[in-house]
Amino acid sequence: MKKSFFRYFPIFVLPTLICFFIAFFVPFVMGIYLSFTKFTTVGNASFVGLRNYITVFSASSGFWRAFFFTAAFTLVSTLTVNFFAFLLALLLTRGKRGTNFFRTVFFMPNLVGGIVLGYIWQLLINGVLNSFGVDITFAAKYGFWGLVILTNWQLIGYMMIIYIAGIQSVPKELHEVAQIDGATAFGELRHVTLPLVAPSVTICAFLTLTNSFKMFDQNLALTGGAPGRETSMLALDIYQTFYGSVGQEGVGQAKAVIFFLLVAAIAGAQLYLSRRSEAKAE
Amino acid sequence: MRTKKRVLDILWFVLLTLLTVAFLFPVFAVLINSFKGQLYITSSPFSFPTGETFAGLANYLNGIRKIRFFEAFGYSLFITVASVALIVLGTSMTAWFLIRNKSKFSSFLYYLFVFSMIVPFQMVMFTMSKVANTLNLENPVGIVLLYLGFGAGLSVFMFGGFIRGIPRSVEEAAEIDGCTPISKFFLVVFPLLKPITVTVAVLNAMWIWNDYLLPYLVIGSKYRTIPVAVQYLQGGYGSRDIGALMAMLVLAIIPIVVFYALAQKSIIKGVIAGAVKG
């Protein structure tokens, strides 16, 4: 039986697997190899050991600037997005008329693509800054807060939907018990709602974290890294290292490998934390 | 007591209405500016178009001509629909086979697919476009194969998780009836996958429709999808035509709003399911 089933491997798996090798596996392995070489195309790569990585960590490569900008941006947007999304979710789980309409509206920006989002907010932010005689490329702080506002607009509705699902899964009886015991509204939130939506908080925190950390399109459209490359986050910095200057491809690829390792570390932390809370719940 | 509740209800409604206005304002601002002359967009972005500043449809006609908007729309639509269809078909078959064929080789492949989920696109962007170039995949059909390959990880993972929850007894009944694996998959298994199929389709459609860097690097010089075309307008030569940009932003948002209006429930459900699993 087993052997005859495996005969169907070429039909069920092989087509997808071939595409997977072309689009992911081969480029991934080549990418790791190229990060240890100097190259302008794949054909002329010459091995240079760890030199690219040493260049990445030196002050001039811009890696650290992009890293700290990304880290600060990720921290601020994760906190603000989740704070506002949770407040909105609380407002929209009171069973009032019109709730559905409001949810629909708040979720909408999430469907708009990053490039379009970036230009929408460029118009608005430049419109406001215009009255002070500057624009978003004038100083890095404008780009920073512009990206934070944009990310909030994009992700609040998305996280709100997940929080709503979490809040609605809290059994009604628990709220009733709390009210009979004379809990204040805040006490009920603190001791009944919050502990039970903790899994949603983990999910949303990591979703915002990864989304912000890997952001590219919005960054490219809103500031393009300007002024200079001061507002380039890691993903955009890698792109600019690759395509903005000749001879830096190896360094760009090394940056990409480091970026991958950072993203993998975040994913690992998420897996660890969600496994741990699952184990606790059991 | 009752009046207090009424007051709170009204306050709630007023607050959320204000928030709605704030949330919709960015799109509204782009819309009114798309009808204004170029000069007036930068100097007074928050005013309504009046007799002097009103530009009619000039921005739209300009933009459509400059970036060949309808061509871009066609490419975006073809690539998204074809990729999503292929991803749903290819990855559901793959996931089912790898889960049901219990062997070390199968689980190795399964985890290889899952591993690719955490790899950011920048890691492979240069090498993938070189491979695509070598294999002559730099066209709207070729890019569909790349989307299947690069998107396979998440979709195999989501289908796989769902298939694990289907009792084998359902399939065994079909085996007794003498079905081949192919007819068993399409007649018995695939219909059962409908909820997760909707989720996979929604998530991939949102990703591919809005994707910028992959189509830009692989086919951007010849075939522009909507995001690539919008970015081209900005980075293209000559002075920047902000009026055309506004008009094209409006045209780029319209298909998304229509899609959202038609499939709102599936979209929200799909996004929740995707978030919890991913």
Side-chain angles (χ1 to χ4, degrees), chain A:
Chain A
M1 152 66 206
K2 218 168 188 183
K3 247 204 171 135
S4 68
F5 185 59
F6 202 77
R7 270 201 338 218
Y8 289 90
F9 182 83
I11 297 169
F12 278 89
V13 180
L14 204 57
T16 307
L17 192 62
I18 290 173
C19 292
F20 179 73
F21 267 76
I22 293 171
F24 173 75
F25 192 73
V26 173
F28 179 76
V29 174
M30 270 166 71
I32 291 178
Y33 162 70
L34 286 177
S35 73
F36 297 103
T37 65
K38 186 170 172 53
F39 65 96
T40 48
T41 65
V42 177
N44 65 10
S46 61
F47 193 74
V48 296
L50 288 172
R51 206 190 297 158
N52 291 329
Y53 287 89
I54 294 166
T55 313
V56 170
F57 290 118
S58 72
S60 62
S61 87
F63 173 80
W64 287 114
R65 192 211 53 234
F67 175 79
F68 287 118
F69 188 87
T70 311
F73 163 76
T74 305
L75 182 72
V76 173
S77 43
T78 303
L79 291 175
T80 49
V81 166
N82 285 283
F83 178 74
F84 291 121
F86 192 74
L87 281 188
L88 267 189
L90 285 178
L91 281 175
L92 290 175
T93 42
R94 331 195 100 227
K96 292 193 205 276
R97 263 219 203 144
T99 297
N100 258 337
F101 169 77
F102 291 126
R103 276 185 209 169
T104 310
V105 171
F106 296 146
F107 182 75
M108 190 270 302
N110 189 248
L111 301 173
V112 179
I115 295 286
V116 175
L117 276 172
Y119 289 120
I120 292 175
W121 279 96
Q122 197 184 57
L123 170 81
L124 293 169
I125 292 165
N126 278 343
V128 173
L129 291 177
N130 190 28
S131 45
F132 303 99
V134 291
D135 73 3
I136 194 162
T137 60
F138 185 75
K141 63 177 177 190
Y142 297 136
F144 181 85
W145 290 106
L147 284 164
V148 169
I149 294 169
L150 179 156
T151 308
N152 270 272
W153 191 65
Q154 182 184 13
L155 292 180
I156 282 176
Y158 182 4
M159 300 309 142
M160 170 202 77
I161 292 277
I162 299 172
Y163 282 128
I164 286 176
I167 292 171
Q168 282 174 340
S169 68
V170 177
K172 259 213 172 99
E173 296 80 41
L174 280 180
H175 287 293
E176 281 160 12
V177 168
Q179 277 157 12
I180 291 166
D181 287 352
T184 59
F186 182 75
E188 203 179 318
L189 174 69
R190 169 79 184 74
H191 296 289
V192 179
T193 312
L194 268 181
L196 284 162
V197 297
S200 316
V201 177
T202 314
I203 291 167
C204 289
F206 274 102
L207 268 176
T208 343
L209 196 71
T210 353
N211 260 312
S212 312
F213 197 78
K214 298 198 319 190
M215 184 169 284
F216 178 85
D217 297 2
Q218 293 87 330
N219 195 187
L220 177 71
L222 187 69
T223 68
R229 271 158 72 172
E230 279 179 53
T231 59
S232 294
M233 284 194 274
L234 285 169
L236 183 58
D237 180 64
I238 292 167
Y239 175 82
Q240 286 166 331
T241 309
F242 256 108
Y243 299 101
S245 45
V246 184
Q248 292 294 302
E249 289 85 352
V251 179
Q253 190 61 54
K255 280 182 177 177
V257 171
I258 296 163
F259 183 52
F260 154 64
L261 292 175
L262 291 169
V263 173
I266 295 175
Q270 176 174 21
L271 192 68
Y272 172 75
L273 283 176
S274 51
R275 284 262 164 93
R276 205 181 60 172
S277 60
E278 262 170 36
K280 251 189 201 165
E282 272 161 18

Side-chain angles (χ1 to χ4, degrees), chain B residues 97-111:
Chain B
F97 188 93
L98 294 181
I99 298 277
R100 287 297 180 241
N101 177 60
K102 287 204 173 69
S103 69
K104 284 222 172 90
F105 180 63
S106 287
S107 56
F108 169 74
L109 285 184
Y110 185 76
Y111 285 110

Side-chain angles (χ1 to χ4, degrees), chain B residues 164-187:
Chain B
R164 276 182 219 270
I166 299 178
R168 288 219 53 170
S169 53
V170 180
E171 293 168 30
E172 274 154 10
E175 261 161 45
I176 294 162
D177 291 345
C179 271
T180 64
I182 296 174
S183 51
K184 186 166 81 178
F185 178 78
F186 285 104
L187 296 176

Side-chain angles (χ1 to χ4, degrees), chain B residues 34-91:
Chain B
S34 70
F35 294 108
K36 290 200 300 209
Q38 277 215 56
L39 287 173
Y40 305 102
I41 295 174
T42 22
S43 63
S44 54
F46 300 123
S47 61
F48 274 95
T50 55
E52 185 194 357
T53 61
F54 185 68
L57 290 175
N59 291 329
Y60 285 86
L61 297 174
N62 251 333
I64 288 171
R65 188 177 42 82
K66 274 190 183 161
I67 67 172
R68 287 177 292 174
F69 178 83
F70 291 106
E71 211 179 294
F73 179 82
Y75 289 134
S76 277
L77 191 66
F78 168 77
I79 291 170
T80 306
V81 171
S83 304
V84 169
L86 206 63
I87 286 174
V88 164
L89 182 70
T91 62

